[in-house]
Amino acid sequence: MAHVTTTTAAGSKLYDVLIVGGGPAGLSMAVGLARQVYSALVLDSGEYRNARAEHMHTVPGFDHASPASFRDKIRRDLRERYASIEFRSATVTRLRKFEAPVALAGSSSSSSSSSSRPHQRSGVAANATDGSASDGKDTAATSGGKQKQWLFEATDAQGNVYTGRKLALGTGVRDVFPEEDVPGYGECWGRGIFHCMFCHGFEERGAESAGVLAGGIMASPEMLAHVTPMVKRLAHSVTVYTNGDEELAAATREKLRSSKIRFDTRRIARVAMAHPRHQHQEQQQQQQEQIHQQGDGSSSDAAAGSSSSSTAVTLYFADGTSATEGFVANHPAVEQRASDLVAGLGLQMGAAGEVRVRAGSMGYEAEGVDGCFVAGDMATPMRSVAKALEMGTFAAAGMVAAMNAELDARDEL
């Protein structure tokens, strides 16, 4: 059946899906929806967790590519091949789920041919309720036999309002820097302090020494014992810094046997990049000249792999001493980037700060809010680009299955 254009009472387009978040999770959801000819609007704030990263890894075909070029490639593919997907640069400030008569919701899926003009708050739906979540299904009969449907509404910072039948969230998380406990951490984050040895670490291989900083997600003996051997693979020696926690050092030491792993329990006063950024640029140029002067273009593994001159971090201790490491591993605590939106919808949270998905549901449907699907860092403790792509793909599959079933029930497939 050919899809027809559907608009709201205010004349703006009614999308099949509103996607909030333009990172890997949101973009992969858009791809899946496009493949089944459903319309979607991607609302992208332009804020990304890996904004400081110059390169990304563990995504085949994009190894050592910039995250920006990766996102640009997906957006370009969608624009060139799939007319049902639209994009808008916007920061969403409010989300809600509301009941609307079928006359407003429309009986068929919207097509990509209609205008994407947003509407203002007034006149969206006279029968809209302010409840953001409901136990009701997406289509329900109300008193008098009049059919109503549940729709989702997103409002951006400029007051523009967008409407969709389903809601897809890929808003991610934000790293919470421990500036009170470790002053200077934020300046070193992503430059000399790295949270994942798969995401970044190989580039520093051959470092004379590296540090592991206890804290954040890496605050237990188990996590420290898990991460430290990965750091050791990339450095000749490793020191685990527990910032005054003697018990944590002792418990972690019992789990590791390597003589090349040391422990330091001194209290940390602050951390800083060992070399200012302008010095790093000069050192890079000198290193390239040295490699060129070898004549055959070859270099040692340490010279080719380790950029410790640029990633080196100095830890200054409360006793007045200091230590410099080629790089430092630590994973800070995280929080929902769109915590106000998550709370406003009434989404349920898991133990690791992730949005919980409904047990047994197909495609990562959020627990407690029918028709809302979540993917990526916001909905899993295993946060990576590859995981976000996987979750986004299956979230799209879940939305497609739900919408196909609803159309089939009305004989409108």
Side-chain angles (χ1 to χ4, degrees), residues 104-259:
L104 171 65
S107 59
S108 300
S109 292
S110 56
S111 74
S112 59
S113 61
S114 65
S115 169
S116 62
R117 176 176 60 86
H119 57 78
Q120 298 298 317
R121 159 62 63 190
S122 60
V124 175
N127 296 325
T129 63
D130 231 5
S132 58
S134 171
D135 293 332
K137 297 301 180 182
D138 290 337
T139 303
T142 61
S143 60
K146 187 176 182 180
Q147 289 291 320
K148 287 193 175 183
Q149 280 192 338
W150 289 101
L151 298 179
F152 289 91
E153 183 182 87
T155 305
D156 69 19
Q158 282 68 48
N160 298 314
V161 181
Y162 314 90
T163 310
R165 291 185 174 84
K166 305 293 181 189
L167 178 64
L169 300 180
T171 51
V173 297
R174 179 186 293 109
D175 296 290
V176 181
F177 301 150
E179 288 291 342
E180 290 188 8
D181 294 330
V182 186
Y185 185 102
E187 179 62 24
C188 298
W189 172 249
R191 298 185 176 115
I193 298 178
F194 307 111
H195 78 292
C196 169
M197 293 299 99
F198 291 100
C199 304
H200 189 102
F202 176 83
E203 292 69 30
E204 317 315 325
R205 68 196 184 279
E208 187 62 32
S209 64
V212 174
L213 177 61
I217 292 176
M218 293 166 51
S220 68
E222 291 75 18
M223 282 301 298
L224 289 172
H226 171 69
V227 173
T228 301
M230 288 191 282
V231 177
K232 176 60 190 70
R233 294 290 300 168
L234 306 170
H236 295 295
S237 65
V238 176
T239 300
V240 178
Y241 295 94
T242 61
N243 199 13
D245 194 328
E246 299 276 359
E247 292 183 3
L248 180 59
T252 306
R253 186 182 288 110
E254 292 180 358
K255 296 179 177 294
L256 296 169
R257 300 289 180 267
S258 174
S259 62

Side-chain angles (χ1 to χ4, degrees), residues 67-86:
S69 68
F70 174 72
R71 294 188 298 269
D72 288 345
K73 176 65 165 62
I74 301 174
R75 285 191 292 260
R76 187 166 62 251
D77 288 347
L78 283 165
R79 287 190 174 105
E80 291 176 356
R81 284 180 54 81
Y82 304 103
S84 65
I85 307 301
E86 300 174 21

Side-chain angles (χ1 to χ4, degrees), residues 88-116:
R88 183 173 291 273
S89 296
T91 298
V92 174
T93 57
R94 185 171 185 262
L95 293 170
R96 70 177 189 133
K97 184 178 182 180
F98 66 98
E99 270 188 313
V102 169
L104 171 65
S107 59
S108 300
S109 292
S110 56
S111 74
S112 59
S113 61
S114 65
S115 169
S116 62

